[in-house]
Amino acid sequence: MRRAAISVPSNIAEGAARASAKEFLQLLIIARGSLMELETQTLIADEQGYLKEGARAELMQKIERVFTLLSGLVSAKRRALSR
């Protein structure tokens, strides 16, 4: 879970440092994929009893918020590339 969580901002940072908007977009999509890995791992960890009471709901809410933000950024970059 830590690796997936760290991968999200790491891919965003790497993409922002790339020379082209297309590369940035690709790394944003990878970051979103890592976020979905984290979501899956959160569900599994909860089912296996590794999370404290209420942790699943809190984590899922945060994951959904970050997903929404990332999706907005992906959409904006796609629009910019199509111009």
Side-chain angles (χ1 to χ4, degrees), residues 12-79:
I12 295 168
E14 182 179 350
R18 293 292 177 109
S20 75
K22 188 174 180 179
E23 288 177 298
F24 187 22
L25 175 60
Q26 183 59 36
L27 282 154
L28 289 173
I29 292 167
I30 291 168
R32 203 166 52 177
S34 294
L35 188 63
M36 292 299 89
E37 285 181 42
L38 180 58
E39 179 184 61
T40 300
Q41 293 163 358
T42 298
L43 295 171
I44 292 168
D46 187 52
E47 289 172 7
Q48 296 293 316
Y50 291 113
L51 298 181
K52 293 180 183 176
E53 185 72 30
R56 175 182 173 164
E58 182 182 344
L59 287 169
M60 295 301 285
Q61 186 177 48
K62 289 178 181 182
I63 289 167
E64 288 174 22
R65 177 70 179 136
V66 173
F67 186 86
T68 299
L69 292 169
L70 268 175
S71 293
L73 191 50
V74 165
S75 294
K77 285 295 173 189
R78 282 185 174 147
R79 282 192 303 273

